[in-house]
Amino acid sequence: MSNIATDNPTNFLTEQEIAEIESEISHLPNRPSAAIDALKIVQSYRGWISDGSLNAIAELIDMSAGELDGVATFYNLIYRQPVGEKVILYCDSVSCWLMDGDVVCEKIKQKLNIDYGETTADNKYTLLPVTCLGDCDHAPAMMVGDELHHDLTIDNIEEHLS
Amino acid sequence: MSDKPLTKNIIGFDGHTDLARYESLGGYAAVRKTIGRTDPDAVLELLKDANLRGRGGAGFPTGMKWSFVPKKEGNGHRYLVANADEMEPGTFKDRLLMEKDPHQLIEGMILSAYTISADVGYIFIRGEYHVAIARLQEAINAASASGLLGEHILDSEFSFRLHVHVSAGRYICGEETALLNSLEGKRAIPRAKPPFPQVSGLWGRPTIVNNVETLCNVTHIVANGADWFKSLGLGVDGGTKLFGASGRVARPGCWELPMGTPIREILEEHAGGMAEGYQLKGFLPGGASTDFLTPDHLDVPMEYDTVMQAGSRMGTGTMIILDDHSCAVGMIANLEKFFARESCGFCTPCREGLPWVQEVLDRIEAGNGELDDIKVLERQSQFIGAIGNTHCAHAPGAMEPLASGLKYFRDEFITHIEGKACPYQREV
Ligand SMILES: Cc1cc2nc3c(=O)[nH]c(=O)nc-3n(C[C@H](O)[C@H](O)[C@H](O)COP(=O)(O)O)c2cc1C
Ligand code: SF4
Ligand code: FES
């Protein structure tokens, strides 16, 4: 993995990314407090957090790369590996389970030919389990990218993934 | 004065309420009559008198919580945080409030911040709530442009800046001290208490964390008074509550009803009873970390003390229904998988104990269990479930559906073990 930017974040991060991170820092009492915001900002442009991104962000917010990695790996919506164009966050919590969400998920896995944690061969989708999406009255539910999809059945799942 | 204050702008309206609509329906009147005009201590007394109890799950009296914030000295920041993490499985109430009527939360936060002299606020919201995030941001911008947020609100001495913090995931962020660590950019590990956040919270400063629904209630109490609020409840506790039901009921949903509404009324009238072909076997009254109740408990009123007396907790008030075609062991295994995955890993009974419990449950569900496994589960539920054996309430919460499930659905555990299979075969 590249380590090119360890001593100069501006070589690695774009001006836009740095401006957005600085804007978060401006209302915080110290720079490391922006760790999660910074990871999210960079991930929003690049899809995931590479070692290069991690080192550059750590430098920019005055944190050690190791500590920042500890933060990054704690949170399930920060991706330390490349993901597909869209991440499917599939709710595997209890209300969805009671509405056969696990059965529908098997169908998705078959259709996309991937298991949880994997990306399709065409790089279109990565499938991950997620905790209750707060849409239990329309269970089963999932996010595809930023969009909520619900009332899923084995019969309508094709429409939701086309 | 509506008897459904929290959803009066939501019911029967398809869109979401913007600033103009909110104000035309009486919104920000409470802020206009209070900020710079009423003594903050008088607002605190009003809240105490109303006996508003926290809607985040524990039911702690809000006025009492606020009264632990020390008197303002010097110019250091004081913080108010809205807990909009809503990741408790089976809970879907705060999303509705934020998506449909974002100004209601903002007005509640302005009034709450005024009461505790907070100058900075955060709405800590889970990252998956994209629609709510966008609408809250839009509402904050509109309120700021109208002088309702920011420096010298309505030309008074009071200033309050409000930010949306979009979380990066993990259920434990909902625990209020883990939430504070996360807001500080750290791993979301709960903090030791004391010191309590009211005294030393965000960046070591006095901080109040309240649930979204709690803060929304503040607006209406300030607008309409404590007596009005108390009169809304049917039992001891005042106000209304967002109740919900999910699972195999005829009409799953979320409804604002008087505090103290009987469970039977919620399930039969509002949820329309069970879906055709299904019978009620049991339910979790308020999210994943509450104890099972059974059809024998249908006449229990939904309020904090009565549900507690029935052996559970009202929790978030959104019920999860277990039907007669679904396996109790499978449901509990699903719950414990969630709790094991979401452990923050800080303390051993939770980090090691929950995966152990999950493994035993999976084994029983797969038909490979032994009768002694039930003893293991019972012992674990007592050990992990004892408050004080773990660093936070996550692990004890995880044991509530397990301990009560072993009590009410013991026969199902035994059938799995003796029959060496799950008796509920589903079509895959
Ligand atoms: C593991 C765990 C998760 C929690 N998640 C939430 C949550 O998502 N939302 C919430 O409002 N409270 C949650 N709580 C409760 C908070 O710690 C806190 O009590 C609450 O936000 C206080 O608000 P209230 O007094 O207005 O109820 C959680 C508690 C625990 C132990
Ligand atoms: S009980 Fe679980 S979630 Fe809470 S501090 Fe311990 S390990 Fe973390
Ligand atoms: S359990 Fe799946 S959305 Fe709530």
Side-chain angles (χ1 to χ4, degrees), chain A residues 70 74-75 100 102 132 135, chain B residues 95 126 170 186-187 426:
Chain A
F74 186 89
Y75 293 96
D100 289 341
D102 56 333
C132 179
D135 205 27
Chain B
R95 184 167 74 91
R126 62 179 300 184
R170 292 308 289 278
K186 300 174 181 157
R187 291 164 73 95
R426 296 190 304 167

Side-chain angles (χ1 to χ4, degrees), chain B residues 76-388:
Chain B
H77 291 304
R78 295 151 68 95
Y79 298 99
L80 173 71
V81 181
N83 188 342
D85 200 45
E86 190 160 73
M87 287 180 82
E88 178 80 11
T91 303
F92 49 102
K93 61 180 188 75
D94 298 339
R95 184 167 74 91
L96 177 81
L97 294 172
M98 293 185 288
E99 283 186 2
K100 298 288 190 173
D101 201 8
H103 284 284
Q104 176 175 228
L105 173 61
I106 293 168
E107 182 169 17
M109 289 189 76
I110 297 169
L111 292 163
S112 306
Y114 180 72
T115 310
I116 60 165
S117 305
D119 61 331
V120 180
Y122 289 95
I123 300 174
F124 185 100
I125 186 165
R126 62 179 300 184
E128 295 91 341
Y129 279 4
H130 297 279
V131 176
I133 292 163
R135 293 201 181 145
L136 284 166
Q137 197 55 61
E138 174 192 301
I140 288 173
N141 295 345
S144 302
S146 297
L148 293 158
L149 275 176
E151 304 302 316
H152 297 288
I153 291 177
L154 302 172
D155 297 323
S156 71
E157 289 299 300
F158 174 62
S159 299
F160 181 55
R161 285 176 292 127
L162 183 56
H163 307 280
V164 177
H165 174 89
V166 181
S167 176
R170 292 308 289 278
Y171 170 70
I172 196 61
C173 290
E175 198 281 338
E176 63 180 19
T177 59
L179 183 154
L180 297 178
N181 275 337
S182 192
L183 262 178
E184 291 184 9
K186 300 174 181 157
R187 291 164 73 95
I189 311 286
R191 295 178 179 177
K193 295 191 250 187
F196 289 90
Q198 290 96 317
V199 178
S200 177
L202 202 51
W203 296 293
R205 301 292 308 164
T207 304
I208 284 287
V209 182
N210 274 125
N211 172 257
V212 168
E213 189 183 347
T214 312
L215 292 164
C216 287
N217 270 295
V218 172
T219 304
H220 305 290
I221 294 171
V222 173
N224 303 324
D227 289 337
W228 164 83
F229 183 78
K230 285 189 269 193
S231 75
L232 290 175
L234 302 178
V236 184
D237 291 318
T240 59
K241 176 81 192 76
L242 293 184
F243 292 119
S246 63
R248 302 276 176 193
V249 289
R251 291 191 301 272
C254 178
W255 313 275
E256 182 182 10
L257 299 169
M259 188 66 93
T261 300
I263 292 169
R264 186 187 297 284
E265 184 181 324
I266 300 172
L267 289 186
E268 291 179 3
E269 281 177 37
H270 300 281
M274 294 300 288
E276 213 179 305
Y278 293 91
Q279 298 281 324
L280 177 67
K281 189 155 79 180
F283 59 96
L284 304 175
S289 51
T290 58
D291 292 85
F292 276 101
L293 293 176
T294 69
D296 291 340
H297 298 108
L298 284 176
D299 294 313
V300 172
M302 276 290 259
E303 62 176 347
Y304 298 98
D305 298 346
T306 47
V307 181
M308 189 83 84
Q309 279 152 21
S312 185
R313 291 188 305 119
M314 191 178 80
T316 62
T318 42
M319 297 187 263
I320 306 165
I321 309 301
L322 170 63
D323 61 82
D324 62 337
H325 293 251
S326 295
C327 172
V329 178
M331 176 173 173
I332 297 166
N334 172 284
L335 291 165
E336 298 309 328
K337 180 184 69 180
F338 151 76
F339 285 114
R341 180 175 76 201
E342 297 301 328
S343 166
C344 84
F346 180 80
C347 64
T348 313
C350 175
R351 183 186 62 243
E352 304 294 328
L354 295 185
W356 183 7
V357 163
Q358 182 197 339
E359 203 184 295
V360 174
L361 284 164
D362 286 345
R363 189 159 70 220
I364 298 175
E365 176 65 3
N368 302 322
E370 292 163 20
L371 283 172
D372 273 355
D373 285 339
I374 297 183
K375 284 199 202 118
V376 172
L377 292 176
E378 268 166 351
R379 211 167 337 115
Q380 286 299 333
S381 71
Q382 281 161 12
F383 175 66
I384 305 173
I387 305 278

